[in-house]
Amino acid sequence: MFFRKKDGRYRKRVKPRYHILGVFIVCLYFMGMSYASSSKDEVCGKYDEENTDGCFCVTRPSSLVPGGYGQRITCHALKNKNTFPTDLPKTTIQLDLSNNGVIGELQAASLSNLQYLQKLDLQGNEISSIEDKAFQFTPHLEVLDLSRNRLGNI
Protein backbone atom coordinates (compact mmCIF):
# COMPACT_ATOMS: atom_id res chain seq x y z
CA MET A 1 0.00 0.00 0.00
CA PHE A 2 1.35 3.42 -0.95
CA PHE A 3 0.51 6.95 0.07
CA ARG A 4 1.49 10.35 -1.32
CA LYS A 5 3.61 12.69 0.77
CA LYS A 6 3.21 16.48 0.59
CA ASP A 7 6.18 16.78 -1.79
CA GLY A 8 4.38 14.60 -4.35
CA ARG A 9 6.52 11.45 -3.96
CA TYR A 10 4.98 8.08 -3.22
CA ARG A 11 6.11 6.09 -0.26
CA LYS A 12 5.29 2.63 1.02
CA ARG A 13 3.18 2.62 4.16
CA VAL A 14 4.64 0.67 7.05
CA LYS A 15 2.18 -1.58 8.74
CA PRO A 16 1.55 -0.32 12.27
CA ARG A 17 1.60 -3.76 13.91
CA TYR A 18 5.42 -3.88 13.60
CA HIS A 19 5.75 -0.60 15.50
CA ILE A 20 3.45 -1.83 18.24
CA LEU A 21 5.45 -5.05 18.57
CA GLY A 22 8.71 -3.07 18.82
CA VAL A 23 7.30 -0.79 21.50
CA PHE A 24 6.02 -3.81 23.40
CA ILE A 25 9.47 -5.50 23.35
CA VAL A 26 11.20 -2.32 24.51
CA CYS A 27 8.69 -1.95 27.38
CA LEU A 28 9.29 -5.56 28.46
CA TYR A 29 13.03 -4.98 28.41
CA PHE A 30 12.86 -1.92 30.65
CA MET A 31 10.38 -3.57 33.00
CA GLY A 32 12.81 -6.46 33.41
CA MET A 33 15.71 -4.09 34.03
CA SER A 34 13.81 -2.18 36.71
CA TYR A 35 12.82 -5.46 38.41
CA ALA A 36 16.42 -6.69 38.39
CA SER A 37 17.80 -3.42 39.74
CA SER A 38 15.21 -3.17 42.52
CA SER A 39 15.73 -6.77 43.64
CA LYS A 40 19.53 -6.50 43.57
CA ASP A 41 19.46 -3.28 45.62
CA GLU A 42 17.21 -4.81 48.26
CA VAL A 43 19.68 -7.66 48.86
CA CYS A 44 22.46 -5.39 50.10
CA GLY A 45 20.14 -4.12 52.83
CA LYS A 46 22.21 -2.70 55.68
CA TYR A 47 25.38 -2.95 53.60
CA ASP A 48 24.29 -0.33 51.02
CA GLU A 49 26.58 2.25 52.54
CA GLU A 50 29.35 1.81 55.06
CA ASN A 51 27.64 0.92 58.33
CA THR A 52 28.64 0.67 61.99
CA ASP A 53 30.43 -2.63 61.36
CA GLY A 54 32.65 -0.97 58.79
CA CYS A 55 31.16 -3.14 56.02
CA PHE A 56 29.76 -2.20 52.65
CA CYS A 57 28.19 -4.03 49.74
CA VAL A 58 28.62 -3.72 45.99
CA THR A 59 26.31 -5.61 43.62
CA ARG A 60 28.00 -7.32 40.69
CA PRO A 61 26.68 -9.36 37.76
CA SER A 62 27.12 -13.09 38.30
CA SER A 63 25.88 -15.94 36.14
CA LEU A 64 26.22 -18.24 39.14
CA VAL A 65 23.53 -16.58 41.28
CA PRO A 66 19.82 -16.85 40.43
CA GLY A 67 18.67 -13.45 39.25
CA GLY A 68 22.08 -12.69 37.73
CA TYR A 69 23.50 -10.53 40.54
CA GLY A 70 25.70 -11.31 43.53
CA GLN A 71 27.22 -9.19 46.27
CA ARG A 72 30.79 -8.31 47.11
CA ILE A 73 30.99 -7.58 50.84
CA THR A 74 34.02 -5.76 52.23
CA CYS A 75 34.51 -5.19 55.96
CA HIS A 76 37.31 -2.86 57.07
CA ALA A 77 36.75 -2.59 60.81
CA LEU A 78 34.69 -5.33 62.43
CA LYS A 79 33.74 -4.45 65.98
CA ASN A 80 33.31 -8.03 67.21
CA LYS A 81 36.61 -9.77 66.50
CA ASN A 82 35.50 -13.07 68.10
CA THR A 83 32.70 -13.93 65.68
CA PHE A 84 32.39 -14.25 61.95
CA PRO A 85 29.60 -12.09 60.42
CA THR A 86 26.52 -14.30 60.05
CA ASP A 87 23.92 -11.91 58.61
CA LEU A 88 25.51 -11.71 55.16
CA PRO A 89 23.32 -11.85 52.03
CA LYS A 90 22.82 -15.39 50.70
CA THR A 91 23.95 -14.18 47.28
CA THR A 92 27.41 -13.09 48.48
CA ILE A 93 30.00 -14.01 45.85
CA GLN A 94 33.04 -12.25 47.36
CA LEU A 95 33.81 -11.62 51.00
CA ASP A 96 36.77 -9.54 52.14
CA LEU A 97 37.49 -9.66 55.88
CA SER A 98 41.21 -9.01 55.52
CA ASN A 99 43.18 -7.19 58.22
CA ASN A 100 40.37 -7.21 60.79
CA GLY A 101 42.08 -9.09 63.58
CA VAL A 102 39.43 -11.83 63.55
CA ILE A 103 40.37 -14.25 66.33
CA GLY A 104 39.74 -17.97 66.81
CA GLU A 105 38.47 -20.82 64.70
CA LEU A 106 36.83 -20.62 61.29
CA GLN A 107 33.73 -22.80 61.64
CA ALA A 108 31.56 -24.49 59.02
CA ALA A 109 28.48 -22.75 60.42
CA SER A 110 30.06 -19.38 59.60
CA LEU A 111 30.02 -20.18 55.89
CA SER A 112 26.89 -22.36 55.72
CA ASN A 113 24.73 -19.56 54.25
CA LEU A 114 27.22 -18.61 51.52
CA GLN A 115 26.62 -21.24 48.85
CA TYR A 116 27.56 -18.90 45.96
CA LEU A 117 30.80 -17.65 47.53
CA GLN A 118 33.65 -17.63 45.00
CA LYS A 119 36.32 -15.57 46.77
CA LEU A 120 37.10 -15.40 50.49
CA ASP A 121 39.87 -13.09 51.72
CA LEU A 122 40.83 -13.67 55.36
CA GLN A 123 44.46 -12.53 55.22
CA GLY A 124 46.02 -10.59 58.06
CA ASN A 125 43.77 -11.89 60.86
CA GLU A 126 44.44 -14.05 63.91
CA ILE A 127 42.66 -17.22 62.84
CA SER A 128 44.25 -20.11 64.73
CA SER A 129 42.35 -23.12 63.33
CA ILE A 130 39.83 -24.21 60.72
CA GLU A 131 37.06 -26.64 61.59
CA ASP A 132 36.89 -29.89 59.59
CA LYS A 133 34.65 -29.49 56.56
CA ALA A 134 34.48 -25.73 57.07
CA PHE A 135 34.14 -25.22 53.33
CA GLN A 136 31.58 -27.96 52.61
CA PHE A 137 28.82 -25.39 52.06
CA THR A 138 30.85 -23.31 49.58
CA PRO A 139 31.10 -25.53 46.48
CA HIS A 140 31.95 -22.59 44.18
CA LEU A 141 34.86 -21.25 46.25
CA GLU A 142 37.79 -20.63 43.88
CA VAL A 143 40.03 -18.20 45.79
CA LEU A 144 40.88 -18.51 49.48
CA ASP A 145 43.51 -16.27 51.08
CA LEU A 146 44.54 -17.30 54.60
CA SER A 147 47.99 -15.73 54.54
CA ARG A 148 49.32 -13.91 57.63
CA ASN A 149 47.18 -15.78 60.17
CA ARG A 150 48.17 -17.93 63.15
CA LEU A 151 47.40 -21.30 61.57
CA GLY A 152 49.55 -24.16 62.87
CA ASN A 153 48.24 -26.79 60.46
CA ILE A 154 45.28 -27.24 58.17
Side-chain angles (χ1 to χ4, degrees):
M1 187 172 236
F2 293 92
F3 69 96
R4 183 184 290 190
K5 292 177 74 174
K6 288 183 180 180
D7 62 1
R9 294 186 297 167
Y10 287 96
R11 185 174 179 141
K12 187 175 180 181
R13 180 175 289 193
V14 178
K15 295 181 181 178
R17 68 174 178 243
Y18 295 117
H19 291 295
I20 292 171
L21 181 62
V23 169
F24 180 71
I25 290 171
V26 169
C27 288
L28 283 177
Y29 173 77
F30 284 113
M31 285 172 54
M33 291 299 287
S34 67
Y35 171 76
S37 67
S38 66
S39 63
K40 72 179 181 180
D41 292 340
E42 291 170 9
V43 173
C44 280
K46 73 173 195 171
Y47 297 104
D48 274 343
E49 296 176 5
E50 192 162 342
N51 60 19
T52 57
D53 291 335
C55 299
F56 62 92
C57 174
V58 177
T59 301
R60 295 280 185 238
S62 174
S63 60
L64 185 66
V65 180
Y69 291 94
Q71 282 63 46
R72 184 179 75 198
I73 306 289
T74 304
C75 297
H76 293 297
L78 288 177
K79 286 188 175 183
N80 190 351
K81 309 280 188 206
N82 295 323
T83 60
F84 195 85
T86 55
D87 57 348
L88 299 169
K90 292 181 180 182
T91 53
T92 300
I93 54 175
Q94 294 181 11
L95 179 58
D96 182 358
L97 297 176
S98 60
N99 303 310
N100 270 296
V102 176
I103 299 170
E105 179 179 50
L106 179 60
Q107 299 176 345
S110 302
L111 301 172
S112 63
N113 195 32
L114 303 176
Q115 64 181 356
Y116 302 109
L117 189 65
Q118 295 174 308
K119 181 180 179 184
L120 179 58
D121 189 350
L122 295 171
Q123 68 171 317
N125 287 295
E126 296 183 26
I127 298 171
S128 57
S129 61
I130 299 174
E131 183 181 29
D132 289 340
K133 299 184 181 180
F135 302 105
Q136 70 179 351
F137 299 111
T138 55
H140 303 288
L141 188 64
E142 297 174 357
V143 178
L144 173 63
D145 191 346
L146 290 168
S147 60
R148 299 180 312 143
N149 276 285
R150 298 180 184 261
L151 293 169
N153 50 2
I154 299 176

